[in-house]
Amino acid sequence: MTSPSLHFLGWSRPAVDTVCDFLLSGIRPGQPFDLDGTLLVVPTQQAGRHLLDALVQRCNAMGAAVLSQRLVTPARLAAEALRQQHIASGTESLMAWCEVLAAAGEPLMVAAWGASGRTRDPAAAVAMAERLQQVRRDLAEAACSCADVAAQADAASAEQERWQALAQLEAAYLARLAHDDLRDACDAQIAWAANPQLTPDVRRVVVACVPDPSLLLVRALERLASRVAIDVLVQAPPAEAATFDAWGRPLPEPWNTRRIDIPGEESNLLLAADPAAQARRIVAIMTAEAAAESGRPPELQTLPATGKTAPPRFAVADIAIGVPDRATVPFLMDHLASCGVPAFDPQERPLRNHPLSELITGLLDLRRAAPYRTVADLLRHPDVLAARQQDTPALFPEPLLTQLDEFQNRHLPLGLPDLLRPFAQNPRGTTSRHADFTGLGQALLRVAQWRDRLTSERLPAVLRALLAEIYAGRKLDPEDPADRFFSAAAEAVDLVLRELEDARIRPCTPGRMGPPDPPLAASQAASLSAAGEIETAVLSARLRSQGCAPERNNEPLDLEGWLELPWTRAPLLFVAGMNEGCVPDGRLADDFLPDSLRRALGLRDDRLRAARDAYILQVLIASRSDRGRVCLLCGKSSPEGDPLRPSRLLFRCGDAQLPQRARRLFGSLPATRPGAPATVGFRLRPFALGRDDAPPPASGNPLRDPLPQRPLCPSLSVTQFKDYLQCPFRFYLRHRLQMAPLADDLLAPDDRTFGTLVHTVLQDFAHDRTLAHSTDAARLGAHLADLARATFAACYGPRPSLAVQVARESAIQRLGRFAMLQSELAQEWEIVSCENRFVLRRGSSEIIARIDRIDRHRRDGRLRVMDYKTFEKLKTPPETHLGTCRAGTPDYAQVDLPGERGRIRRKAWQDLQLPLYREALAASGKYDVSSAELGFFILPRAIGETGFQPWVDYTTALHNSAMACADSVLAAIAAGTFWPPRNVPPDRDDFAALFAGDPAPCVEPPPDPPDGREAAP
């Protein structure tokens, strides 16, 4: 076997320069540079781009031309085997594995997987298939299979049984592929390495500074060495020859004990709190270096992109940034863009993070099942929202999502059937005159049609059709980077769909077009359903595994990977993320291939990775020893706040220097700036449309029209006085701008909805004269329970969630206790009014009072005016109406009450409900309220506390104070007094999420606001 020629190029210059020197040696000026017959193997695609650019530049400078070139990475060279025919696609491999795992007996599965091998869940089977195929890909790097590992396993080893089980599964998998005349990709690569075949024109292979070729590639090159010339280039001086093997790989023994000196440690070895802090430090150093070049203060410097200004003070071409920790990438791109230096990340993006893949995932989830969250996520997808605007009539995002939130809060649907049920009876989706869900119903009908197609048609075809429908109105701009990236994602999706369409191995689909099949047995139906789940899970897995390469948009700076850094020429090099797990690039514990087994098989283990990365770090420092600087940054924590350890390579220093370096890398960080109070970037302007300003005409687009405002002197409901007394500004937001918190994450009826449902039952009870006068507690309780069940079913459907069932049973228990008390009350009191509306006029305003219930005593004619309350805890009327008088409480809301020993207690009105009920009854002229009792009929959680709670110490003076307060509130509203805001506890503030505590710093106040502390009646 012929040995390769080993060439040591030195490490005083970057690899791109020394490799160019080697390739161009002997080329005279003006002579064409022809790489015909030469195959260049480079470590990564980005390294190949650097080398090709350098070759073109050097040849141009020599007046020569590059006639031909062929650059490949080690992975791409090993992929030559996959050019053969009948190689199973990734989809076919997963399908074959799923069949094998489904047919395997439980003992075999338990031997391979442990207790988790007992599961027969289709989605779990696909996950197992992915894991097994990944294990085989890892083993293929060592040119071996599961059978080879089983043959080498020690008979006394605890892992022997596992590997024998894996070998049996592997044999069954390969046989399943062979049944359809297919060949496994891993087996094909191993066979290619045993007898590698290149195109006939290749006469020479140059392995250019590849520090970690796999054992598979090495074996292939060993066999090729007898047929073609092989040159192995090493970026190291000849004196280091003893520290490398015959293929240019750093040997673990010398490199894992080698001392690595870091020049200028004080300024070039930096600790930062997190990835964002690393990005800030890099930009700050770049700015300082620019200032040093121009002699101007750092704060006056910018970092212009090349070609934008002339002459640039600091060329971006002199900077390179390495990102072994990928978590630093978004922060670096953001900080660099803010300095006018947009950066390009050449790393392939996972397709699963693209909106197109997220949409397909949502459609696949819809095929499996249609729970509410799946449907809601689909409706909220930005591309679905954009498509709905093309409907007739158009559905704009804001009203559609508002209807979705309101519908969810109202009905708490569990899935698509619950969402569609109200629309089967009414196209508006409700009988309430205060709501309209027509637009939502239109969107839900479309989703239902999608689900029908997804469950009855071939999956690739229906996905293509649905995507074509959703994106029919989208136009792509080839000049827009986002649109170009969308095109790349679409190509990746098309590849996966074509794999599924062309797959020779496929499970039985859950449905097909054509005449209906005869009824299936339960086992057959379950089999078809499982097959559909497997097909869906395989497609999801293949989409997750795909990536799409971004396209450059003239960014002047690249964010390089660790293996590309030796190839960059930039004299100023930053490396962000010098942490353990990134450098060396460790991997989590592997149940199948632990480090000891990897070492025995010749796979990359921890020793080899550490030796490679120690060598690369030495190269980075040595190549800039005479010109330039290497700045290494180490983070203390991840973006999620998890602690990080410094790279072990940073401790390769002398014993005397080690304590100081450990203190530096494990020490606490000094404060970079004093703590500053939180500030807001802009102020909200809710008062922008003043009452004297005419709003602009409606555009027809709800996204552009201004928020509607109510008149300054509206008809107020009794309950709105409580909102104004709590905070005038929040009253303005809620009742003038009609703002309210809204989300679709409600799991159970909230307190207000629960109270409304109970009120509905009690209203129906009072309107039934037989029930209202009943003294039979058992009969009344049964009727109320039936009413409660019917009311909850009308709102939440026949099969509500467990949380709704709990709320329903709580309501039934409370109503059962109410029935016992009502049967006793009915002997002395009769209901004379229920849910009647009264109008109270005060000046130019109307006050609407809808009183839950009015009772009259059968003997003396006394009245009881009561409001039903479903408090969680018992609260009396004085406790809800009168609160503590605090600083900022307006004078009109203050009231003096007699206390003990003749003392006066000052209280503040915080609700006017019962006093306004009394005043409205008196104004109606229908009732004598002189001796009326005001109070609550409370149905609390503790049913033993159920009963009527009267306001026993309600006096005429107190009533007059309440009416004066009401008149002052009306006057303040009429005067436009909605400022300043008052302090509201966060747990009672619906608008807490909009403000950082106090709303005042976050809101632009109205021009010349009224005093707001007091308004004359």
Side-chain angles (χ1 to χ4, degrees):
M1 184 178 295
T2 305
S3 300
S5 300
L6 204 58
H7 307 270
F8 289 88
L9 309 181
W11 56 27
S12 61
R13 293 190 299 156
V16 68
D17 290 330
T18 56
V19 171
C20 278
D21 290 345
F22 177 85
L23 295 175
L24 295 174
S25 60
I27 301 296
R28 297 185 300 274
Q31 178 182 354
F33 174 60
D34 191 357
L35 282 175
D36 184 35
T38 299
L39 180 66
L40 287 173
V41 183
V42 292
T44 66
Q45 290 184 356
Q46 182 72 353
R49 295 188 191 101
H50 284 304
L51 178 58
L52 184 58
D53 289 344
L55 284 172
V56 172
Q57 291 174 11
R58 291 277 288 273
C59 289
N60 285 340
M62 298 167 55
V66 179
L67 295 184
S68 62
Q69 51 78 26
R70 184 182 176 195
L71 289 84
V72 296
T73 63
R76 187 67 179 270
L77 182 59
E80 290 289 333
L82 306 184
R83 297 180 183 275
Q84 305 172 26
Q85 294 182 350
H86 308 300
I87 299 297
S89 67
T91 297
E92 290 170 327
S93 292
L94 291 181
M95 292 289 192
W97 269 120
C98 288
E99 283 194 27
V100 168
L101 295 176
E106 182 174 315
L108 187 61
M109 293 293 291
V110 171
W113 291 92
S116 60
R118 293 190 172 93
T119 181
R120 292 303 187 195
D121 177 63
V126 175
M128 289 181 180
E130 284 188 287
R131 186 70 187 92
L132 285 172
Q133 195 62 359
Q134 182 58 51
V135 169
R136 298 189 71 253
R137 281 193 291 268
D138 290 342
L139 290 175
E141 291 187 3
C144 65
S145 62
C146 294
D148 297 328
V149 179
Q152 298 175 27
D154 185 356
S157 171
E159 290 297 304
Q160 185 192 36
E161 182 182 3
R162 160 175 278 191
W163 283 104
Q164 288 177 345
L166 292 175
Q168 291 183 50
L169 292 173
E170 179 185 60
Y173 159 74
L174 295 175
R176 178 63 188 86
L177 291 180
H179 179 270
D180 282 301
D181 195 24
L182 291 172
R183 190 177 186 189
D184 174 66
C186 298
D187 270 14
Q189 288 184 325
I190 295 172
W192 174 83
N195 183 25
Q197 300 294 324
L198 300 177
T199 56
D201 61 313
V202 175
R203 299 180 298 276
R204 179 192 185 198
V205 176
V206 177
V207 183
C209 301
V210 180
D212 61 343
S214 66
L215 185 58
L216 180 79
L217 178 62
V218 168
R219 290 188 177 178
L221 292 175
E222 287 175 345
R223 288 162 175 76
L224 284 172
S226 60
R227 290 178 275 157
V228 299
I230 297 181
D231 293 306
V232 176
L233 312 184
V234 182
Q235 190 181 7
E240 298 287 341
T243 65
F244 294 87
D245 68 4
W247 295 98
R249 294 177 294 188
L251 296 173
E253 289 74 16
W255 280 103
N256 284 337
T257 57
R258 188 186 187 100
R259 173 172 173 168
I260 303 175
D261 294 320
I262 301 176
E265 178 179 333
E266 291 293 325
S267 58
N268 291 329
L269 182 56
L270 305 176
L271 182 66
D274 50 32
Q278 294 185 58
R280 288 195 297 269
R281 290 295 295 272
I282 289 175
V283 171
I285 295 172
M286 292 169 64
T287 305
E289 290 284 350
E293 287 289 323
S294 62
R296 299 175 64 187
E299 61 272 12
L300 300 180
Q301 300 304 308
T302 59
L303 295 172
T306 56
K308 298 295 180 65
T309 58
R313 292 186 297 271
F314 191 64
V316 176
D318 293 334
I319 301 171
I321 301 178
V323 285
D325 184 0
R326 296 287 303 168
T328 62
V329 170
F331 300 98
L332 280 166
M333 296 185 73
D334 180 63
H335 282 75
L336 290 168
S338 66
C339 297
V341 185
F344 177 68
D345 177 21
Q347 183 77 19
E348 194 174 65
R349 311 288 199 276
L351 178 62
R352 61 178 177 272
N353 295 336
H354 193 277
L356 177 58
S357 177
E358 294 173 357
L359 174 59
I360 296 175
T361 300
L363 292 172
L364 293 178
D365 290 342
L366 184 67
R367 188 193 195 207
R368 294 188 187 98
Y372 171 78
R373 181 49 51 197
T374 295
V375 176
D377 288 345
L378 267 177
L379 292 179
R380 293 181 184 280
H381 192 283
D383 296 334
V384 174
L385 289 174
R388 296 287 68 80
Q389 295 186 64
Q390 309 300 320
D391 290 346
T392 303
L395 294 177
F396 292 101
E398 183 184 19
L400 175 59
L401 297 183
T402 299
Q403 290 179 32
L404 177 63
D405 290 347
E406 291 178 347
F407 190 93
Q408 193 274 340
N409 286 200
R410 184 182 294 248
H411 297 290
L412 301 180
L414 292 177
L416 186 58
D418 299 317
L419 285 162
L420 294 172
R421 185 179 297 108
F423 296 98
Q425 302 171 355
N426 188 323
R428 294 172 60 247
T430 180
T431 57
S432 172
R433 59 187 178 87
H434 302 293
D436 186 352
F437 301 109
T438 303
L440 176 62
Q442 179 182 338
L444 291 174
L445 181 60
R446 184 65 59 88
V447 173
Q449 293 170 350
W450 291 351
R451 175 163 167 76
D452 289 342
R453 296 187 61 182
L454 284 165
T455 54
S456 62
E457 300 178 27
R458 279 298 317 278
L459 187 55
V462 71
L463 280 178
R464 290 186 188 278
L466 294 183
L467 292 176
E469 173 189 326
I470 293 170
Y471 291 104
R474 176 160 180 173
K475 296 181 180 180
L476 299 180
D477 181 3
E479 301 300 321
D480 186 346
D483 283 352
R484 294 201 303 269
F485 191 40
F486 179 89
S487 297
E491 290 177 2
V493 169
D494 179 67
L495 173 65
V496 173
L497 292 179
R498 278 191 282 109
E499 278 188 4
L500 189 58
E501 288 170 330
D502 300 338
R504 302 188 191 182
I505 302 175
R506 67 172 66 256
C508 210
T509 55
R512 67 170 186 265
M513 302 300 293
D517 291 332
L520 294 174
S523 60
Q524 291 175 302
S527 176
L528 288 176
S529 175
E533 289 186 36
I534 288 176
E535 187 178 44
T536 302
V538 167
L539 181 57
S540 297
R542 292 297 295 152
L543 288 173
R544 286 194 305 268
S545 67
Q546 298 300 305
C548 36
E551 292 191 28
R552 185 182 297 278
N553 191 35
N554 298 321
E555 295 90 350
L557 184 65
D558 285 356
L559 300 181
E560 310 275 4
W562 177 249
L563 295 179
E564 285 91 32
L565 292 180
W567 292 79
T568 179
R569 291 170 166 170
L572 178 57
L573 173 62
F574 297 95
V575 184
M578 287 294 296
N579 290 97
E580 197 67 20
C582 299
V583 181
D585 62 333
R587 60 172 62 206
L588 298 176
D590 192 322
D591 292 338
F592 288 95
L593 296 172
D595 199 68
S596 58
L597 181 57
R598 298 182 70 88
R599 183 179 306 180
L601 296 174
L603 291 167
R604 294 188 186 94
D605 62 353
D606 186 67
R607 295 178 315 122
L608 295 176
R609 288 193 296 270
R612 180 202 66 186
D613 290 347
Y615 158 68
I616 291 177
L617 180 58
Q618 178 63 59
V619 165
L620 299 181
I621 294 173
S623 61
R624 289 161 180 82
S625 58
D626 297 331
R627 46 178 286 281
R629 170 186 178 187
V630 179
C631 185
L632 307 174
L633 293 97
C634 176
K636 283 186 71 71
S637 65
S638 69
E640 295 77 23
D642 298 325
L644 300 176
R645 291 180 297 165
S647 169
R648 73 187 83 165
L649 303 183
L650 300 179
F651 298 99
R652 300 279 189 86
C653 55
D655 292 344
Q657 191 181 3
L658 184 60
Q660 178 184 356
R661 186 167 293 186
R663 282 193 296 269
R664 169 186 290 274
L665 296 178
F666 286 103
S668 58
L669 290 170
T672 56
R673 59 181 179 180
T679 59
V680 295
F682 62 92
R683 285 185 159 196
L684 301 175
R685 301 177 62 205
F687 302 103
L689 285 177
R691 61 180 181 273
D692 295 327
D693 299 329
S699 66
N701 185 345
L703 295 179
R704 297 182 178 178
D705 293 344
L707 287 172
Q709 293 200 10
R710 295 185 181 274
L712 281 175
C713 296
S715 295
L716 266 69
S717 70
V718 166
T719 56
Q720 291 180 8
F721 285 83
K722 177 181 178 180
D723 294 337
Y724 189 89
L725 290 170
Q726 181 189 55
C727 175
F729 174 62
R730 292 171 174 84
F731 174 92
Y732 178 86
L733 297 180
R734 179 178 290 108
H735 299 294
R736 288 293 311 285
L737 300 186
Q738 302 180 39
M739 295 176 63
L742 197 59
D744 71 339
D745 55 359
L746 199 62
L747 300 178
D750 57 18
D751 293 343
R752 181 177 179 179
T753 304
F754 180 81
T756 300
L757 292 168
V758 173
H759 273 64
T760 301
V761 174
L762 294 175
Q763 180 180 354
D764 293 342
F765 142 77
H767 287 160
D768 187 329
R769 301 299 296 174
T770 302
L771 291 179
H773 293 85
S774 175
T775 57
D776 186 342
R779 177 172 175 269
L780 179 58
H783 275 286
L784 290 177
D786 291 341
L787 285 173
R789 294 187 183 96
T791 301
F792 272 79
C795 189
Y796 302 116
R799 292 187 297 274
S801 67
L802 178 60
V804 172
Q805 295 179 48
V806 171
R808 181 187 63 197
E809 294 307 310
S810 176
I812 290 174
Q813 288 183 3
R814 300 187 198 198
L815 291 169
R817 178 59 179 170
F818 169 85
M820 295 177 62
L821 297 177
Q822 174 60 32
S823 64
E824 298 173 1
L825 288 174
Q827 299 175 13
E828 298 186 18
W829 297 83
E830 63 173 338
I831 302 174
V832 297
S833 174
C834 175
E835 290 291 335
N836 280 338
R837 182 177 183 269
F838 297 86
V839 179
L840 174 63
R841 299 188 182 278
R842 305 288 288 188
S844 60
S845 299
E846 289 184 347
I847 302 174
I848 309 301
R850 188 175 294 277
I851 303 177
D852 286 347
R853 176 172 167 177
I854 303 174
D855 284 10
R856 178 185 289 118
H857 198 274
R858 296 183 184 275
R859 292 193 305 271
D860 56 28
R862 287 180 293 119
L863 295 181
R864 273 184 177 175
V865 181
M866 64 181 72
D867 193 73
Y868 291 122
K869 297 295 183 184
T870 52
F871 295 140
E872 289 296 293
K873 296 181 180 179
L874 182 65
K875 297 178 185 177
T876 64
E879 290 174 341
T880 62
H881 284 71
L882 297 169
T884 304
C885 192
R886 305 181 186 276
T889 300
D891 294 343
Y892 62 76
Q894 300 180 22
V895 58
D896 291 336
L897 301 177
E900 297 178 356
R901 299 178 183 179
R903 295 178 181 175
I904 298 298
R905 297 178 299 152
R906 178 152 292 185
K907 291 287 189 176
W909 286 106
Q910 58 187 19
D911 195 354
L912 300 174
Q913 183 180 21
L914 291 180
L916 287 172
Y917 279 180
R918 186 183 187 276
E919 189 69 16
L921 283 179
S924 71
K926 298 180 180 179
Y927 301 95
D928 178 12
V929 297
S930 58
S931 60
E933 293 181 352
L934 305 178
F936 296 150
F937 201 119
I938 302 179
L939 292 83
R941 173 181 292 181
I943 60 175
E945 298 175 347
T946 303
F948 177 68
Q949 290 289 331
W951 196 334
V952 295
D953 54 354
Y954 190 77
T955 63
T956 301
L958 197 58
H959 180 77
N960 292 337
S961 172
M963 291 303 99
C965 179
D967 290 337
S968 296
V969 169
L970 291 173
I973 293 174
T977 305
F978 304 111
W979 194 262
R982 294 182 191 146
N983 292 329
V984 177
D987 60 333
R988 292 190 295 168
D989 185 7
D990 289 340
F991 301 95
L994 296 180
F995 315 115
D998 183 11
C1002 308
V1003 175
E1004 183 176 314
D1008 301 323
D1011 189 345
R1013 291 174 295 182
E1014 182 175 2

